[in-house]
Every structure is written in C-alpha cells, then in structure tokens.
Amino acid sequence: SAVTPAVQDLAGTRAVVSAGGTREPLDPVRFLGNRSSGRQGVALAAVAARRGARVTLVAANVAADVLARAGATVDVVEVETGEQLREAVRTAAKDADVVVMAAAVADYRPASTAPAKMKKSGQAPVLHLVETTDVLRELVTDPPRAGQTVVGFAAETGDGDGDVLDHGRAKARRKGADLLVVNAVGAGLGFGTTTNDVTVLDREGRTVATGAGTKDAVAGVVWDAVRDLVGRPSA
Ligand code: CTP
Ligand code: CA
C-alpha cells in the first residue's frame, strides 16, 4: 500500500523505460498510430522508482492522467515519432544499466510527410511507407553503454503459424534481448485493459517467469526477473 515502502532492491540501478505508442505524421494534422495507452510502461517506471531505481521514462503520446501515475521521482521525456523515441532512448541509455522497451513503436512510417494539410482531391491517395529503425534490435547490436540489460515486450496473438508462446519464443531468439516479456493480446487482454497476462523469456526463448494481474503486478514480475538476471540484490 501507499504507506508501506517497497523493498529498495533496485537501489543504485539506473533504468530507462519507453512507453506508449508512436505517431508517424502524414501531414501537419494526421498520423499513423496505434492503440497503446502507455499504462504498462508507466507502471514499469513507477514500480522501479518505488523499488529505488533512478528512472527515465520516454513517453510516446501517453495521456496526462496516465503519465501522472509515473510519480514525481521519474524523469519524463515526451516524444511523438519512432525516430524521436529512438533518439531519446539512446541518449538516456548512455547512463543506464537497464533499458525496457515497452513502447509500441511503428514498424513503418510514411515515406514523406506533407508540409501542408493534404487536400481531398477526388482521387484516393496511395500511402507509401518505409520501414522504421528497430530500436530494440539496435540496442542489442549497438548498445549505448556496454553490458547493459535490454528488455523487450511483445504483444502476440495465436494464429495458424503457432500459439502466443510459439511466436514469443521465435521473437525472443530473433531480437536477441536479454529478456522478452510476451503478452497475450486479443479479447479482453492487453491493449486498453487494466490487467495483463505475461510470460518472461530469456534470449533462448526459455520461460524464466510468468505473471498475471494488474499492470503493477506484471511490472513487479518483470523487475524481479531483471534483478535476478543482473544479480544485484542490495539494500
Ligand atoms: N520495437 C522497437 N522498434 C521498432 C519496433 C519494435 O524497438 N521499430 C520493440 C518494441 O518496443 C518491443 C519489441 O520491439 O519491445 C517487440 O515489438 P513487436 O512489434 O512485438 O516486434 P516486431 O519485431 O516489430 O514484430 P511484429 O510486429 O512483426 O510482431
Ligand atoms: Ca512491430
């Protein structure tokens, strides 16, 4: 509860957390975006701060009432696009022990942004998209600080190619992050809801933890897994 101080087991840890969903502009008034509320990322930042970490939260288009739940001790950097998020995360990560990529980053953005509002012409436009930089992958291949721990998130649904965990395990091996938090999405789960159901995988795709419940509870499971991996129990 609010009156019981959390165990300070992340004291001395410097963490960067990204949260929210990027917006890729088409013109000054329009963008391609996604439905990420930022709640899980904000919960990760808040829980880490309560456990003693120094936290920078890179927030992409997170509503003010959600952002407020990060708490006063979390440093917040607000961004809009995937490229801005990349820059902000990499800058903050230069001094970080752990980077957690909870943000939903666009995979594609418009090839160009119109300088003025696009007018209706009677001819439906075709949008040309280009791939964005994979920020998580780049943190693994080109770390801003040597030896830092990198954690990814993956919202998955089951399909004809496999179930949620099959996709999660394949992604864990592909991404090369130290930990990948796999979140089952779909009917009543994940985006826009207040509870989550997650499995934490290592870089080989092995399950190291599972958790369900509120986004604060899930955040606790993720930080426990990070703490166990980094092996720095203190205070
Ligand atoms: N991610 C990122 N930069 C991107 C896309 C994704 O850093 N341009 C990060 C997300 O923040 C998340 C992880 O990669 O931590 C997994 O994102 P996800 O969308 O599940 O993976 P993708 O590799 O983009 O695969 P797909 O969308 O095809 O499932
Ligand atoms: Ca993606």
Side-chain angles (χ1 to χ4, degrees), residues 73-148:
T73 63
V74 170
D75 282 329
V76 177
V77 181
E78 290 193 81
V79 298
E80 186 167 344
T81 68
E83 192 53 34
Q84 290 166 359
L85 183 141
R86 176 191 181 195
E87 287 298 325
V89 165
R90 291 189 66 82
T91 298
K94 283 177 186 154
D95 299 312
D97 306 297
V98 186
V99 185
V100 180
M101 285 293 300
V105 184
D107 294 331
Y108 302 97
R109 62 175 166 76
S112 63
T113 301
K117 189 185 169 200
M118 292 163 68
K119 301 299 288 180
K120 187 160 68 176
S121 70
Q123 175 99 32
V126 175
L127 300 180
H128 290 280
L129 306 180
V130 294
E131 207 166 331
T132 58
T133 301
D134 187 327
V135 180
L136 179 68
R137 181 108 197 86
E138 188 183 46
L139 288 168
V140 171
T141 59
D142 184 15
R145 185 164 182 275
Q148 68 193 173

Side-chain angles (χ1 to χ4, degrees), residues 57 62 102 120 223:
L57 175 64
V62 177
K120 187 160 68 176
W223 287 116

Side-chain angles (χ1 to χ4, degrees), residues 6 23 32 45 60 71 87 98 119 125 148 152 170 177 180 193 212-214 221 228:
R23 293 179 176 180
L32 301 180
E87 287 298 325
V98 186
K119 301 299 288 180
Q148 68 193 173
L180 186 76
T193 69
T214 64
V221 169
D228 293 349

Side-chain angles (χ1 to χ4, degrees), residues 136 149-153 172 176-181 200-203 206 208 222 224-227 229:
L136 179 68
T149 300
V150 177
V151 182
F153 266 72
D178 299 288
L179 297 173
L180 186 76
V181 184
V200 184
L201 305 178
D202 67 13
R203 62 167 77 245
R206 291 179 298 234
V208 298
V222 172
D224 288 352
V226 169
R227 181 204 54 205
L229 188 74

